[in-house]
Amino acid sequence: MFHTSTAKKPNMSLSKKLSITGLSMGLLLIISCGKQSEAESTKQEVETPKAYPDAPEAAIKMIASEISKGDMGVIWESMPATYQSDVNEVVALASTKLDPEIYDKTFTFFDRLADVADKQKNFILNTQLGGGQPPEEKEKMETALPSVIALVKGLASSEISTVEGLKAFDGQAFFDSTVSKMASQFEEIAKLTGETEFSMSDLSEVVVSVVESTGDQATLELKAPNEESQTESFTKVEGRWVPTELADGWVQSIADAKVQIEGVSVEEMAANKTQLLSVFAMLDGVLTQIDSAQTQEQFDQALQGAMMPLMGLMMMGNGIGAPVTP
């Protein structure tokens, strides 16, 4: 989730890690993926919103503190009401452009794929397709695979893996549950593969100080463990402090997202539906072969057989509704 590097390499602004990264990930998921059963959803208790500090340094420190605990719901809570409304509109618009059968089947397929991958993980690690893997890469993959499988399973069972789920979208619940789980899983995968030494828990130690503050504008200095101090400008929007860069570009970003979604052709998706369903049928057959493989040779042969339908699915990706990123 929060990718960083050594001090010698350029780092992403810490404030962007706290807001833009989490928010962008949430928006991407909202538009391109994401089913939670109605029973589970109705069991969730509505939490009392956290008191949002008026002072900019206190607000950013609170966000960092909550994220350090794995609570990504604070991202939604820290969004201005207009921003929340904009996100809801984008989700509602996306739900009108998707074929329910194709969209739902996509996540059903990924759910089954995760189950098969969990069952056949030893064959996955030892496949010789593509020449096999160097020992060090195999070790990394072996360590990370359970988290990857959990991540895919989580997406396939999250609130918005169905068109009906999109229509019933609840931003707070989505960030409280799905985004919080995904952030933790992404971070775990990054650690296991050696891509980062930074931990969300480190954000509890972020030091935030005011450089300058006038009215609805503030410049803050942020210092995270093992990182150089960074200075960032914030703007107060509807009682919420957000990075000035985000505030300045928000309206255009949402407008662009709506234009991209509006550009999705429902007619084209309908025309491609029969072909897409046939590709899914082929993939289901391949998964059945992979699932029933008893030897490495059988597994590799079945995996190789998946290449053609996968290529067909990729070529027809627009028929499903290609992911739209604000």
Side-chain angles (χ1 to χ4, degrees):
M1 172 65 188
F2 298 100
H3 181 76
T4 186
S5 55
T6 61
K8 293 182 181 180
K9 298 180 181 180
N11 289 325
M12 179 187 294
S13 165
L14 180 60
S15 66
K16 290 187 180 69
K17 292 176 182 176
L18 296 177
S19 56
I20 296 178
T21 300
L23 185 55
S24 296
M25 184 178 75
L27 289 174
L28 175 61
L29 288 169
I30 288 167
I31 299 171
S32 64
C33 60
K35 158 184 166 193
Q36 180 184 41
S37 68
E38 293 184 10
E40 182 179 352
S41 178
T42 55
K43 286 190 298 182
Q44 289 184 335
E45 296 181 359
V46 178
E47 296 182 1
T48 302
K50 300 175 181 64
Y52 193 89
D54 186 63
E57 70 276 19
I60 301 307
K61 179 63 179 178
M62 183 202 76
I63 295 172
S65 176
E66 292 302 315
I67 291 178
S68 75
K69 303 172 188 175
D71 176 15
M72 304 303 289
V74 71
I75 295 176
W76 183 265
E77 293 172 3
S78 65
M79 291 170 61
T82 298
Y83 289 19
Q84 294 178 347
S85 178
D86 288 339
V87 172
N88 288 332
E89 289 181 12
V90 169
V91 177
L93 180 59
S95 70
T96 67
K97 294 288 186 174
L98 299 166
D99 181 279
E101 185 178 4
I102 296 296
Y103 186 81
D104 296 359
K105 188 177 287 291
T106 300
F107 291 97
T108 299
F109 169 77
F110 279 113
D111 185 56
R112 187 183 176 202
L113 176 64
D115 288 337
V116 173
D118 186 44
K119 176 183 175 181
Q120 303 288 47
K121 52 182 172 287
N122 289 333
F123 289 152
I124 293 174
L125 295 170
N126 292 294
T127 182
Q128 294 304 305
L129 292 181
Q133 301 182 85
E136 61 275 11
E137 292 301 319
K138 178 181 175 181
E139 183 177 353
K140 288 181 181 180
M141 186 175 181
E142 183 176 10
T143 305
L145 190 56
S147 294
V148 174
I149 292 172
L151 178 62
V152 175
K153 289 287 290 184
L155 284 174
S157 60
S158 62
E159 298 95 324
I160 54 176
S161 64
T162 66
V163 172
E164 287 303 313
L166 283 178
K167 293 177 180 178
F169 174 73
D170 180 333
Q172 189 64 67
F174 177 69
F175 276 82
D176 282 341
S177 57
T178 300
V179 178
S180 293
K181 292 175 184 176
M182 286 191 63
S184 176
Q185 290 163 342
F186 271 127
E187 182 183 44
E188 189 64 25
I189 292 169
K191 285 181 181 179
L192 293 173
T193 56
E195 293 183 9
T196 180
E197 296 179 357
F198 190 84
S199 171
M200 286 195 298
S201 62
D202 293 337
L203 292 173
S204 64
E205 301 178 41
V206 167
V207 176
V208 184
S209 54
V210 179
V211 176
E212 183 180 2
S213 180
T214 306
D216 291 341
Q217 301 293 322
T219 301
L220 304 179
E221 181 181 67
L222 301 94
K223 177 67 173 69
N226 304 316
E227 289 196 358
E228 296 179 352
S229 297
Q230 299 175 34
T231 301
E232 186 75 27
S233 296
F234 290 83
T235 298
K236 195 174 188 180
V237 181
E238 301 170 10
R240 297 291 188 262
W241 289 97
V242 297
T244 299
E245 183 179 352
L246 178 64
D248 289 346
W250 181 264
V251 173
Q252 188 61 52
S253 295
I254 292 297
D256 290 344
K258 290 181 179 179
V259 168
Q260 291 181 48
I261 297 173
E262 287 284 10
V264 176
S265 172
V266 176
E267 292 76 15
E268 184 178 351
M269 283 194 291
N272 290 330
K273 182 172 180 177
T274 299
Q275 290 176 292
L276 284 166
L277 290 174
S278 68
V279 171
F280 274 116
M282 291 174 64
L283 288 172
D284 284 339
V286 171
L287 274 184
T288 297
Q289 293 180 34
I290 293 175
D291 185 43
S292 61
Q294 300 294 316
T295 66
Q296 188 68 56
E297 182 180 5
Q298 291 175 354
F299 176 86
D300 288 352
Q301 288 177 347
L303 191 60
Q304 192 169 18
M307 296 302 114
M308 185 174 295
L310 282 174
M311 289 178 61
L313 190 60
M314 291 173 62
M315 291 175 64
M316 295 162 54
N318 288 334
I320 300 177
V324 180
T325 309

